[in-house]
Amino acid sequence: MKMIFTDLDGTLLNSSSEISTINAEAIKKAQKHGVEVVVATGRAYFDVQEILKKAELSNLWVIAANGATIHDPNGQLRHSVPIDAHHVKEALQWLDANEFYYEVFAEHAIYTPNSGRELLAIEIDRVKSANKNVDEERLHHAAAKQYSQTGFAFVASYEDILNTNAELYNVLAFSFDDEKRKKGWDHFSKQHDMTLVSSADHNFELEHKDASKGNALTYVIKELGGSLHDTIAIGDSFNDVSMLQTAGKGIAMANAHAEIKALADDVTLTNDENGVASVIEKVLEAQLEAH
Ligand code: CA
Protein backbone atom coordinates (compact mmCIF):
# COMPACT_ATOMS: atom_id res chain seq x y z
CA MET A 1 0.00 0.00 0.00
CA LYS A 2 1.33 3.38 -1.05
CA MET A 3 1.04 6.21 1.47
CA ILE A 4 1.43 9.92 0.79
CA PHE A 5 1.97 12.30 3.71
CA THR A 6 1.37 15.92 2.77
CA ASP A 7 1.98 19.15 4.62
CA LEU A 8 -0.73 21.86 4.29
CA ASP A 9 0.56 25.48 4.18
CA GLY A 10 2.85 26.05 1.21
CA THR A 11 2.23 22.46 0.08
CA LEU A 12 -1.36 21.20 -0.31
CA LEU A 13 -2.79 24.71 0.25
CA ASN A 14 -2.41 27.38 -2.42
CA SER A 15 -1.45 30.95 -1.55
CA SER A 16 -5.11 31.67 -0.71
CA SER A 17 -4.84 28.95 1.98
CA GLU A 18 -7.25 26.66 0.11
CA ILE A 19 -7.10 23.15 -1.31
CA SER A 20 -7.59 23.62 -5.07
CA THR A 21 -10.15 21.51 -6.91
CA ILE A 22 -7.31 19.84 -8.81
CA ASN A 23 -5.57 18.81 -5.56
CA ALA A 24 -8.86 17.69 -3.97
CA GLU A 25 -9.81 15.58 -7.00
CA ALA A 26 -6.33 14.03 -7.08
CA ILE A 27 -6.67 13.01 -3.42
CA LYS A 28 -10.10 11.46 -4.03
CA LYS A 29 -8.69 9.56 -7.01
CA ALA A 30 -5.76 8.33 -4.90
CA GLN A 31 -8.14 7.12 -2.20
CA LYS A 32 -10.23 5.31 -4.82
CA HIS A 33 -7.11 3.50 -5.99
CA GLY A 34 -6.11 2.41 -2.50
CA VAL A 35 -3.45 5.06 -1.91
CA GLU A 36 -3.61 6.40 1.65
CA VAL A 37 -3.29 10.20 1.82
CA VAL A 38 -2.39 11.62 5.23
CA VAL A 39 -2.27 15.29 6.23
CA ALA A 40 0.74 16.29 8.35
CA THR A 41 0.65 19.90 9.50
CA GLY A 42 1.59 22.37 12.21
CA ARG A 43 -2.05 23.52 12.33
CA ALA A 44 -4.51 22.37 14.99
CA TYR A 45 -6.77 19.38 14.23
CA PHE A 46 -10.12 21.25 14.31
CA ASP A 47 -8.66 23.88 11.98
CA VAL A 48 -7.59 21.14 9.56
CA GLN A 49 -11.13 19.70 9.68
CA GLU A 50 -12.57 23.00 8.44
CA ILE A 51 -10.10 23.10 5.56
CA LEU A 52 -10.82 19.49 4.55
CA LYS A 53 -14.58 20.03 4.83
CA LYS A 54 -14.42 23.01 2.45
CA ALA A 55 -12.65 20.80 -0.10
CA GLU A 56 -15.17 17.99 0.52
CA LEU A 57 -12.43 15.61 1.55
CA SER A 58 -12.95 12.83 4.08
CA ASN A 59 -11.35 9.59 5.28
CA LEU A 60 -7.97 11.12 5.96
CA TRP A 61 -5.70 10.50 8.91
CA VAL A 62 -4.53 13.84 10.29
CA ILE A 63 -1.20 14.53 11.95
CA ALA A 64 -1.55 17.99 13.53
CA ALA A 65 0.39 20.37 15.81
CA ASN A 66 3.64 19.24 14.15
CA GLY A 67 3.14 15.63 15.17
CA ALA A 68 1.83 16.18 18.70
CA THR A 69 -1.62 14.80 17.77
CA ILE A 70 -2.75 12.01 15.45
CA HIS A 71 -6.45 11.62 14.57
CA ASP A 72 -7.89 8.74 12.57
CA PRO A 73 -10.44 9.31 9.76
CA ASN A 74 -13.30 8.99 12.30
CA GLY A 75 -11.95 11.92 14.28
CA GLN A 76 -10.67 9.78 17.15
CA LEU A 77 -7.53 11.10 18.83
CA ARG A 78 -5.33 8.02 18.46
CA HIS A 79 -2.07 9.34 19.81
CA SER A 80 -0.89 12.54 21.46
CA VAL A 81 2.30 13.92 22.94
CA PRO A 82 1.44 16.92 25.14
CA ILE A 83 4.14 19.28 26.41
CA ASP A 84 4.95 18.87 30.11
CA ALA A 85 2.98 21.47 32.09
CA HIS A 86 6.04 23.05 33.70
CA HIS A 87 7.73 23.42 30.30
CA VAL A 88 4.64 25.19 28.93
CA LYS A 89 4.61 27.48 31.94
CA GLU A 90 8.28 28.43 31.54
CA ALA A 91 7.84 29.03 27.82
CA LEU A 92 4.73 31.20 28.21
CA GLN A 93 6.28 33.23 31.02
CA TRP A 94 9.27 33.96 28.80
CA LEU A 95 7.16 34.83 25.73
CA ASP A 96 4.94 37.03 27.87
CA ALA A 97 7.88 38.88 29.44
CA ASN A 98 9.34 39.44 25.96
CA GLU A 99 6.05 40.72 24.53
CA PHE A 100 5.51 38.01 21.95
CA TYR A 101 2.26 37.25 20.15
CA TYR A 102 1.69 33.55 20.85
CA GLU A 103 -0.86 30.78 20.47
CA VAL A 104 -1.20 27.58 22.47
CA PHE A 105 -2.90 24.57 20.87
CA ALA A 106 -5.19 22.30 22.89
CA GLU A 107 -7.54 19.55 21.64
CA HIS A 108 -10.51 21.92 21.23
CA ALA A 109 -9.09 25.45 21.11
CA ILE A 110 -6.20 27.70 20.20
CA TYR A 111 -5.60 29.86 23.28
CA THR A 112 -4.16 33.30 22.72
CA PRO A 113 -3.95 36.43 24.92
CA ASN A 114 -6.32 39.33 24.19
CA SER A 115 -3.38 41.69 23.79
CA GLY A 116 -1.67 39.66 21.04
CA ARG A 117 -3.16 41.25 17.94
CA GLU A 118 -2.42 44.73 19.23
CA LEU A 119 1.20 43.66 19.78
CA LEU A 120 1.45 42.56 16.15
CA ALA A 121 -0.15 45.81 14.92
CA ILE A 122 2.49 47.73 16.87
CA GLU A 123 5.23 45.56 15.36
CA ILE A 124 3.98 46.30 11.84
CA ASP A 125 4.08 50.05 12.61
CA ARG A 126 7.63 49.72 13.95
CA VAL A 127 8.83 47.76 10.91
CA LYS A 128 7.22 50.40 8.69
CA SER A 129 8.89 53.34 10.40
CA ALA A 130 12.27 51.57 10.37
CA ASN A 131 12.00 50.72 6.68
CA LYS A 132 9.85 52.85 4.39
CA ASN A 133 10.23 50.33 1.56
CA VAL A 134 8.76 47.44 3.48
CA ASP A 135 6.04 45.43 1.72
CA GLU A 136 3.28 46.31 4.17
CA GLU A 137 0.71 44.27 2.25
CA ARG A 138 2.77 41.13 2.82
CA LEU A 139 2.90 41.72 6.57
CA HIS A 140 -0.85 42.28 6.80
CA HIS A 141 -1.41 39.17 4.69
CA ALA A 142 0.77 37.12 7.07
CA ALA A 143 -1.12 38.44 10.11
CA ALA A 144 -4.50 37.86 8.46
CA LYS A 145 -3.50 34.30 7.62
CA GLN A 146 -2.55 33.71 11.25
CA TYR A 147 -5.94 35.05 12.43
CA SER A 148 -7.90 33.00 9.89
CA GLN A 149 -7.39 29.77 11.82
CA THR A 150 -10.48 28.14 13.33
CA GLY A 151 -10.97 27.77 17.08
CA PHE A 152 -9.43 30.79 18.82
CA ALA A 153 -10.18 31.20 22.54
CA PHE A 154 -9.04 34.56 23.86
CA VAL A 155 -7.66 34.78 27.39
CA ALA A 156 -6.55 37.60 29.69
CA SER A 157 -3.18 36.05 30.51
CA TYR A 158 -1.09 32.91 30.14
CA GLU A 159 -2.20 31.85 33.61
CA ASP A 160 -5.72 31.35 32.24
CA ILE A 161 -4.27 28.91 29.70
CA LEU A 162 -2.45 26.93 32.40
CA ASN A 163 -5.58 26.98 34.59
CA THR A 164 -7.61 25.16 31.94
CA ASN A 165 -5.54 22.05 32.81
CA ALA A 166 -6.01 21.01 29.18
CA GLU A 167 -3.31 19.00 27.46
CA LEU A 168 -1.28 21.49 25.42
CA TYR A 169 0.39 20.35 22.23
CA ASN A 170 2.02 23.27 20.53
CA VAL A 171 3.19 26.77 21.45
CA LEU A 172 3.52 29.05 18.43
CA ALA A 173 5.30 32.39 18.72
CA PHE A 174 4.96 34.92 15.92
CA SER A 175 6.79 38.18 15.34
CA PHE A 176 7.56 40.60 12.51
CA ASP A 177 10.64 41.79 14.42
CA ASP A 178 13.59 39.74 13.11
CA GLU A 179 15.81 40.44 16.12
CA LYS A 180 13.09 39.58 18.59
CA ARG A 181 12.38 36.32 16.78
CA LYS A 182 16.07 35.46 16.72
CA LYS A 183 16.30 36.16 20.44
CA GLY A 184 13.39 33.76 21.00
CA TRP A 185 14.91 31.12 18.74
CA ASP A 186 18.27 31.37 20.56
CA HIS A 187 16.58 31.18 23.95
CA PHE A 188 14.55 28.07 23.15
CA SER A 189 17.23 26.31 21.13
CA LYS A 190 19.26 26.10 24.33
CA GLN A 191 16.45 24.14 25.99
CA HIS A 192 16.70 20.54 24.96
CA ASP A 193 13.51 19.34 26.60
CA MET A 194 11.32 20.62 23.75
CA THR A 195 11.34 20.42 19.96
CA LEU A 196 11.84 23.81 18.32
CA VAL A 197 10.81 24.18 14.67
CA SER A 198 9.70 26.88 12.28
CA SER A 199 6.95 26.44 9.70
CA ALA A 200 6.91 29.95 8.23
CA ASP A 201 9.00 33.10 7.95
CA HIS A 202 7.64 34.86 11.02
CA ASN A 203 7.22 32.07 13.54
CA PHE A 204 8.80 29.42 15.70
CA GLU A 205 7.00 26.58 17.41
CA LEU A 206 7.58 24.40 20.44
CA GLU A 207 6.41 20.85 21.08
CA HIS A 208 7.29 17.97 23.37
CA LYS A 209 10.72 16.66 22.40
CA ASP A 210 9.19 13.38 21.17
CA ALA A 211 6.66 15.15 18.92
CA SER A 212 7.63 15.52 15.27
CA LYS A 213 6.03 14.94 11.89
CA GLY A 214 8.61 12.18 11.33
CA ASN A 215 7.67 10.29 14.51
CA ALA A 216 3.97 10.70 13.74
CA LEU A 217 4.51 9.35 10.22
CA THR A 218 6.16 6.25 11.70
CA TYR A 219 3.20 5.81 14.07
CA VAL A 220 0.58 6.03 11.28
CA ILE A 221 2.49 3.62 9.02
CA LYS A 222 2.59 1.09 11.86
CA GLU A 223 -1.14 1.54 12.58
CA LEU A 224 -2.00 0.96 8.91
CA GLY A 225 0.45 -1.86 8.40
CA GLY A 226 2.34 -0.02 5.67
CA SER A 227 6.06 0.17 5.11
CA LEU A 228 8.43 3.15 5.08
CA HIS A 229 9.64 2.05 1.66
CA ASP A 230 6.20 2.72 0.14
CA THR A 231 5.86 6.10 1.79
CA ILE A 232 6.19 9.53 0.23
CA ALA A 233 6.30 12.77 2.24
CA ILE A 234 5.75 16.20 0.66
CA GLY A 235 6.63 19.51 2.32
CA ASP A 236 8.08 22.98 1.95
CA SER A 237 9.56 24.05 5.27
CA PHE A 238 11.78 23.24 8.23
CA ASN A 239 9.06 21.55 10.27
CA ASP A 240 8.83 19.01 7.42
CA VAL A 241 12.47 17.91 7.60
CA SER A 242 11.81 15.02 10.03
CA MET A 243 9.16 13.47 7.78
CA LEU A 244 10.99 14.16 4.51
CA GLN A 245 13.97 12.28 5.95
CA THR A 246 11.94 9.46 7.53
CA ALA A 247 9.75 8.65 4.52
CA GLY A 248 10.97 6.30 1.79
CA LYS A 249 10.88 9.30 -0.52
CA GLY A 250 10.90 12.97 0.50
CA ILE A 251 9.59 15.45 -2.05
CA ALA A 252 10.02 19.21 -1.71
CA MET A 253 7.71 21.79 -3.26
CA ALA A 254 9.23 24.06 -5.92
CA ASN A 255 8.39 26.94 -3.56
CA ALA A 256 10.26 25.31 -0.65
CA HIS A 257 13.36 26.78 0.96
CA ALA A 258 16.57 25.91 -0.90
CA GLU A 259 17.80 23.87 2.08
CA ILE A 260 14.62 21.78 2.03
CA LYS A 261 14.98 21.10 -1.70
CA ALA A 262 18.61 20.13 -1.15
CA LEU A 263 17.76 17.42 1.38
CA ALA A 264 14.71 16.07 -0.51
CA ASP A 265 14.90 13.18 -3.00
CA ASP A 266 12.86 15.07 -5.57
CA VAL A 267 11.15 18.42 -6.22
CA THR A 268 7.58 18.82 -7.51
CA LEU A 269 5.73 21.92 -8.80
CA THR A 270 4.78 24.86 -6.57
CA ASN A 271 1.72 24.88 -4.28
CA ASP A 272 -0.05 27.25 -6.71
CA GLU A 273 0.69 24.78 -9.55
CA ASN A 274 -0.90 21.86 -7.65
CA GLY A 275 2.43 20.19 -6.85
CA VAL A 276 0.71 17.59 -4.64
CA ALA A 277 -1.67 16.52 -7.43
CA SER A 278 1.35 16.13 -9.70
CA VAL A 279 3.00 13.74 -7.20
CA ILE A 280 -0.24 11.75 -6.83
CA GLU A 281 -0.65 11.43 -10.61
CA LYS A 282 2.87 10.02 -10.92
CA VAL A 283 2.23 7.52 -8.12
CA LEU A 284 -1.01 6.36 -9.78
CA GLU A 285 0.68 6.06 -13.20
CA ALA A 286 3.48 3.96 -11.71
CA GLN A 287 0.87 1.77 -10.00
CA LEU A 288 -0.94 1.21 -13.32
CA GLU A 289 2.31 0.29 -15.07
CA ALA A 290 3.14 -2.21 -12.35
CA HIS A 291 -0.11 -4.11 -12.96
CA1 CA B 1 4.36 24.22 5.24
Side-chain angles (χ1 to χ4, degrees), residues 150-168:
T150 300
F152 278 114
F154 294 93
V155 293
S157 76
Y158 72 86
E159 278 129 341
D160 293 346
I161 302 173
L162 302 173
N163 288 339
T164 62
N165 288 321
E167 292 198 329
L168 303 171

Side-chain angles (χ1 to χ4, degrees), residues 32 96 116 119 134 153 188 235 247 270:
K32 214 189 281 173
D96 207 62
L119 277 175
V134 74
F188 288 108
T270 68

Side-chain angles (χ1 to χ4, degrees), residues 92 96 100-106 109-120 146-147 149 151-161 164 168 170-174:
L92 298 189
D96 207 62
F100 268 89
Y101 169 93
Y102 58 85
E103 301 168 355
V104 184
F105 292 25
I110 299 172
Y111 294 106
T112 193
N114 288 319
S115 56
R117 295 183 182 192
E118 203 185 319
L119 277 175
L120 284 190
Q146 203 63 33
Y147 305 153
Q149 296 170 96
F152 278 114
F154 294 93
V155 293
S157 76
Y158 72 86
E159 278 129 341
D160 293 346
I161 302 173
T164 62
L168 303 171
N170 186 23
V171 175
L172 180 147
F174 186 103

Side-chain angles (χ1 to χ4, degrees), residues 8-259:
L8 286 183
D9 293 85
T11 302
L12 183 61
L13 304 186
N14 58 24
S15 34
S16 308
S17 299
E18 289 164 347
I19 301 175
S20 69
T21 308
I22 290 175
N23 274 339
E25 290 306 317
I27 289 174
K28 286 175 195 164
K29 193 172 164 189
Q31 290 175 322
K32 214 189 281 173
H33 286 82
V35 175
E36 193 78 36
V37 180
V38 179
V39 165
T41 177
R43 286 180 182 254
Y45 173 70
F46 42 84
D47 187 29
V48 178
Q49 283 307 98
E50 286 302 311
I51 293 168
L52 294 178
K53 222 187 283 171
K54 263 185 217 158
E56 295 175 2
L57 287 170
S58 54
N59 292 320
L60 280 85
W61 283 72
V62 175
I63 294 167
N66 286 322
T69 65
I70 301 173
H71 288 82
D72 68 20
N74 298 320
Q76 280 297 104
L77 177 64
R78 294 288 285 270
H79 185 67
S80 68
V81 195
I83 311 174
D84 295 340
H86 66 281
H87 290 150
V88 178
K89 187 177 177 181
E90 277 173 17
L92 298 189
Q93 277 174 335
W94 192 90
L95 292 170
D96 207 62
N98 288 278
E99 299 189 322
F100 268 89
Y101 169 93
Y102 58 85
E103 301 168 355
V104 184
F105 292 25
E107 176 63 1
H108 298 293
I110 299 172
Y111 294 106
T112 193
N114 288 319
S115 56
R117 295 183 182 192
E118 203 185 319
L119 277 175
L120 284 190
I122 294 168
E123 281 188 5
I124 291 179
D125 282 342
R126 281 201 196 125
V127 172
K128 257 169 28 189
S129 52
N131 177 6
K132 297 283 175 216
N133 298 324
V134 74
D135 183 354
E136 195 185 336
E137 202 51 42
R138 211 182 126 244
L139 302 187
H140 284 293
H141 179 79
K145 190 177 161 218
Q146 203 63 33
Y147 305 153
S148 71
Q149 296 170 96
T150 300
F152 278 114
F154 294 93
V155 293
S157 76
Y158 72 86
E159 278 129 341
D160 293 346
I161 302 173
L162 302 173
N163 288 339
T164 62
N165 288 321
E167 292 198 329
L168 303 171
Y169 302 119
N170 186 23
V171 175
L172 180 147
F174 186 103
S175 174
F176 290 114
D177 180 335
D178 296 344
E179 261 173 52
K180 186 169 162 181
R181 222 172 41 248
K182 186 180 179 303
K183 187 179 161 194
W185 182 272
D186 289 346
H187 173 78
F188 288 108
S189 59
K190 284 186 204 111
Q191 306 198 332
H192 302 293
D193 37 32
M194 279 187 283
T195 301
L196 173 65
V197 290
S198 175
S199 64
D201 288 348
H202 302 111
N203 75 22
F204 60 82
E205 295 159 84
L206 296 159
E207 288 94 38
H208 186 282
K209 66 173 165 48
D210 295 335
S212 73
K213 288 192 183 186
N215 287 348
L217 171 143
T218 307
Y219 180 93
V220 173
I221 291 171
K222 218 168 155 193
E223 282 294 297
L224 293 175
S227 79
L228 272 179
H229 177 75
D230 288 324
T231 303
I232 294 172
I234 318 170
D236 73 312
S237 201
F238 297 98
N239 63 333
D240 298 314
V241 170
S242 62
M243 76 168 178
L244 293 175
Q245 289 182 329
T246 307
K249 191 171 181 185
I251 301 182
M253 302 299 291
N255 50 290
H257 288 262
E259 290 162 66

